[in-house]
Amino acid sequence: MNKLRILALFTVFLAGCSKPSEQIMVATAANVQYVMKEIQQEFEKESGKKIEIVVASSGKLTTQIREGAPFDVFVSADTKYPEEIFKNGGSDRKPEVYATGTLVLWSKDIPETDLNPEVLATGKVRKVAVPNPQTAPYGQAAVEALNALKLYEQTEKKLVYGESIAQTAQYITTGSAEAGFNALSIVLSPEMKGKGHYIIVDSSLYKPIQQAAILLKHSADSPKKASSKQFYQFLYSAKAKAIFKKYGYR
């Protein structure tokens, strides 16, 4: 998708909004989408300014930013992608970590007493849902955990990759996959809470999922420069931290 096509898509996306030039466009990693809904409500109530949230995997959002998508803030599921954007001149300031995520193993039907990584290698499980490790940090963490437990080779042919953590959650909650890896923030969300069973994966089995945000570059006369900065700072406020904690982030 070329730059002109992306810009055209976002022009259509914003059509019908009363003052689209003043809306803050926030590119949001899929694992953070439910948290961002609450943060959006708090920020809009406090500031009176409007936010539009666009959800996808961190890798896909980075590609869109690289190709000219008009985002103002990028809330990633890792630090790698925001750092890449900064190094390539996409921001005037370095990204900052806002939270550390937690990986879970989740199943629609397998109870917690039987749910463990080892069960993935048995005949009870035919498919294991995993976010695409090429674009989704939680997918990369899942593969690291399977390798650390020496289960990757035994489960490799069972792995079914979702384009994002949201699609992976759909595979799990519909039973398309008997089990899968996801983010604790997703299973604790109001939309998903109580759907199936989960266990927290030992954090020593994968690299810490540090998640960073970055304030994307604006021209000097951008009408959104000040409000985008205000929202970016709000992500690190006490109010936002309390919301992240509620969803299982550290």
Side-chain angles (χ1 to χ4, degrees):
M1 187 179 291
N2 60 35
K3 181 176 179 180
L4 289 176
R5 188 178 172 194
I6 286 177
L7 290 173
L9 284 174
F10 275 91
T11 300
V12 172
F13 177 77
L14 290 174
C17 296
S18 56
K19 293 182 180 180
S21 63
E22 296 179 8
Q23 288 185 323
I24 305 164
M25 294 291 292
V26 183
T28 304
N31 78 89
V32 199
Q33 60 181 305
Y34 299 115
V35 184
M36 287 301 296
K37 285 182 181 179
E38 290 200 27
I39 289 178
Q40 176 185 22
Q41 290 172 359
E42 288 296 323
F43 177 77
E44 289 182 346
K45 183 170 65 175
E46 184 175 295
S47 68
K49 296 171 182 176
K50 296 295 182 182
I51 298 171
E52 287 292 340
I53 297 172
V54 178
V55 178
S57 68
S58 298
K60 284 196 168 187
L61 291 169
T62 299
T63 298
Q64 291 175 8
I65 292 166
R66 196 183 296 130
E67 293 178 350
F71 298 128
D72 302 302
V73 177
F74 176 29
V75 183
S76 181
D78 67 356
T79 57
K80 180 183 76 172
Y81 290 117
E83 285 171 357
E84 176 189 314
I85 290 168
F86 173 71
K87 288 176 182 175
N88 290 331
S91 176
D92 294 322
R93 57 193 294 174
K94 291 183 178 180
E96 298 176 68
V97 173
Y98 61 84
T100 301
T102 299
L103 183 70
V104 299
L105 180 60
W106 188 13
S107 174
K108 177 176 178 285
D109 299 313
I110 302 173
E112 283 90 346
T113 52
D114 298 328
L115 190 58
N116 55 66
E118 287 72 22
V119 78
L120 303 179
T122 71
K124 289 183 179 180
V125 176
R126 292 176 294 117
K127 293 181 181 179
V128 181
V130 179
N132 185 349
Q134 300 302 316
T135 57
Y138 282 81
Q140 184 178 345
V143 171
E144 288 173 3
L146 288 172
N147 276 313
L149 293 166
K150 303 189 185 307
L151 291 171
Y152 184 77
E153 290 185 4
Q154 299 175 58
T155 59
E156 185 178 8
K157 291 182 179 179
K158 298 182 179 185
L159 301 183
V160 179
Y161 297 108
E163 288 188 5
S164 70
I165 211 161
Q167 187 177 57
T168 308
Q170 185 178 20
Y171 291 160
I172 298 166
T173 56
T174 59
S176 297
E178 288 83 3
F181 292 93
N182 218 279
L184 179 58
S185 59
I186 297 294
V187 300
L188 291 181
S189 68
E191 290 84 348
M192 296 294 177
K193 202 166 186 178
K195 291 186 177 182
H197 315 276
Y198 74 93
I199 61 166
I200 292 175
V201 177
D202 185 347
S203 61
S204 68
L205 298 174
Y206 57 90
K207 295 175 184 175
I209 308 173
Q210 289 190 316
Q211 302 189 194
I214 189 166
L215 180 65
L216 300 170
K217 188 175 284 185
H218 296 272
S219 60
D221 59 350
S222 170
K224 295 191 290 182
K225 185 174 183 180
S227 55
S228 297
K229 183 178 180 181
Q230 183 181 358
F231 174 72
Y232 180 76
Q233 292 173 334
F234 186 80
L235 283 174
Y236 300 90
S237 67
K239 281 186 179 179
K241 285 180 180 178
I243 296 171
F244 281 118
K245 187 175 181 180
K246 174 183 170 182
Y247 281 82
Y249 287 97
R250 292 177 281 121

